[in-house]
Amino acid sequence: MKASKNLNSVIILPKKLKREIGFLEAITVVIGMVIGSGIFFKPSIVFKNAGSPTIGILAWVAGGIITIASGLTIAEIAAAIPKTGGIFIYLKELYGEKWAFLFGWVQTVIYVPGSVAALAIVLATQATNFVPMSGLEQKSFAILMLLVITTANVLSTKLASKIQFIATIAKLIPLFIIIALGLIKGTAHSFSLPVGTTAAGAGFGAAMLGTLWAYDGWVSVSNMAGELKNPIKDIPRSIIIGLTITIIVYVLFNLAIINVIPIASVINSNKVASDVASVLFGKAGSLFISAGILISIFGALNGYLMTGVRIPFAMAQNKLLPYSKFLRKVNQKYQTPLNSYIFVAALTCIYIFSGSFNTLTDLVVFVLWIFFTMAVAGIFILRTKHKNLVRPYKVPFYPIVPLIGIIGGIYILVSTILTDTLKAFIGIAITLIGLPIYWYIKKNK
């Protein structure tokens, strides 16, 4: 790839990770990261906020449009800068090292291990549908699953990507069955609303906000650009195809559930997927969907760990973390970032036992959307300041598509400030704690 001299001088490239992830595995990383547990639990709150089934479905579509617009835009940046680290690398090259560090700081210390911990706990909680466990046993099971997945990832990135492929296919099977039978055998319940429900459209913003959280995770495939066999072509293709499939699945799944049970039941349910499965398949339906949720969460857990570890690894490659020499080492036998896995797994175990991971991740979600929006807006910097950088893929309908992604990101930020001001500002405070650490690292670099 022909790149500008300035950009090549900024980044220290990791050269020892094996390029062994193919196109299909890349697609399943996108799908597996996005379709986790959100699709099974978000419909209730989305339809409740929307106030009507029609507005609710439109909220899922609108959330998908914002997501695909962001994906189409990030894909151009990813294809032009196909290096391990994803958004961290893009921010570093387009905005400067300090912004990249703050993003990486939040991701490394809180978001990645916190998200992995949350998924591990949810996995253990779902497992109680089959094997009763006490609170301590659930945490122990969560750590056991974490260690199993970590070991698989350390042994081989190829093995981890195969696990992701199998888990993604397996999780789609129950979803497709519910979609097919729900649309065919559903009784087309009346779309009348329960008494006291918000008027149609009044909560569209809150409804769309819920769908955007369910669409989260798609950008993580770019974290592994340095390990894709053909990142220049496969990153944009995997993001676009993966998100397209996800949006179709989400919309059809929601159409199916409101076709099977009344909208009032959807709104009042805290396990709507299980309720729908029970109607379609009888008593065995809840166990069937519980198994599907287990597989779905397992795949998301594997995906978050596999892609998330690449953030501290990329930061250490650029000497932007304490003990960078340790964290940037690649295991010679397996050619995987073993030490970074150890670091993330250790933090995850702490969060699992502390029980504070949900609070921690809630605090930084707002901050992460600042960086996501910046990354989408980076397309304008890429095209104006780095014209010599080869771009094998270009976002269609420029600049309309990037602007849709930017407006969507700004909408999320403004909505969060208005509805959850305290958490928004606490999240910013946690991020700013990284500044003195950054200055210390720079001073001793």
Side-chain angles (χ1 to χ4, degrees), residues 339-417:
N339 293 347
S340 288
Y341 272 114
I342 293 173
F343 171 73
V344 171
L347 272 181
T348 301
C349 289
I350 293 173
Y351 289 159
I352 288 174
F353 273 107
S354 71
S356 61
F357 44 83
N358 281 326
T359 301
L360 290 168
T361 51
D362 286 345
L363 290 176
V364 298
V365 160
F366 168 79
V367 176
L368 291 178
W369 272 97
I370 296 176
F371 295 113
F372 290 159
T373 306
M374 287 178 62
V376 175
I379 189 67
F380 298 104
I381 300 176
L382 183 75
R383 290 202 176 192
T384 56
K385 293 186 177 181
H386 304 294
K387 295 180 179 180
N388 294 329
L389 199 64
V390 174
R391 295 188 299 277
Y393 160 84
K394 292 185 179 181
V395 58
F397 306 110
Y398 177 91
I400 296 174
V401 170
L403 287 175
I404 292 174
I406 293 170
I407 293 171
I410 293 174
Y411 178 84
I412 291 172
L413 298 177
V414 173
S415 296
T416 305
I417 291 174

Side-chain angles (χ1 to χ4, degrees), residues 171-191:
K171 79 169 65 176
L172 288 175
I173 292 174
L175 283 172
F176 286 152
I177 292 175
I178 290 176
I179 289 171
L181 294 182
L183 293 176
I184 295 172
K185 297 179 65 176
T187 55
H189 285 279
S190 171
F191 280 6

Side-chain angles (χ1 to χ4, degrees), residues 302-313:
N302 180 74
Y304 265 89
L305 183 66
M306 178 171 60
T307 60
V309 161
R310 270 62 187 178
I311 297 295
F313 177 75

Side-chain angles (χ1 to χ4, degrees), residues 104-175:
W105 157 259
V106 174
Q107 286 273 77
T108 297
V109 177
I110 297 177
Y111 184 73
V112 171
S115 298
V116 173
L119 285 167
I121 286 293
V122 173
L123 181 68
T125 303
Q126 283 296 128
T128 60
N129 289 325
F130 301 92
V131 181
M133 289 184 280
S134 66
L136 179 60
E137 288 172 338
Q138 288 182 47
K139 290 183 177 181
S140 300
F141 181 79
I143 290 177
L144 175 62
M145 290 295 97
L146 169 67
L147 294 178
V148 169
I149 293 176
T150 301
T151 300
N153 277 267
V154 167
L155 291 176
S156 169
T157 300
K158 184 70 172 179
L159 173 61
S161 65
K162 291 296 183 184
I163 291 175
Q164 192 69 24
F165 180 82
I166 295 171
T168 299
I169 298 301
K171 79 169 65 176
L172 288 175
I173 292 174
L175 283 172

Side-chain angles (χ1 to χ4, degrees), residues 25 121 129 330 409 439:
E25 288 90 350
I121 286 293
N129 289 325
V330 175
W439 291 327

Side-chain angles (χ1 to χ4, degrees), residues 304-325:
Y304 265 89
L305 183 66
M306 178 171 60
T307 60
V309 161
R310 270 62 187 178
I311 297 295
F313 177 75
M315 293 184 72
Q317 284 281 329
N318 288 272
K319 300 180 181 179
L320 287 178
L321 281 179
Y323 307 105
S324 287
K325 187 175 181 180

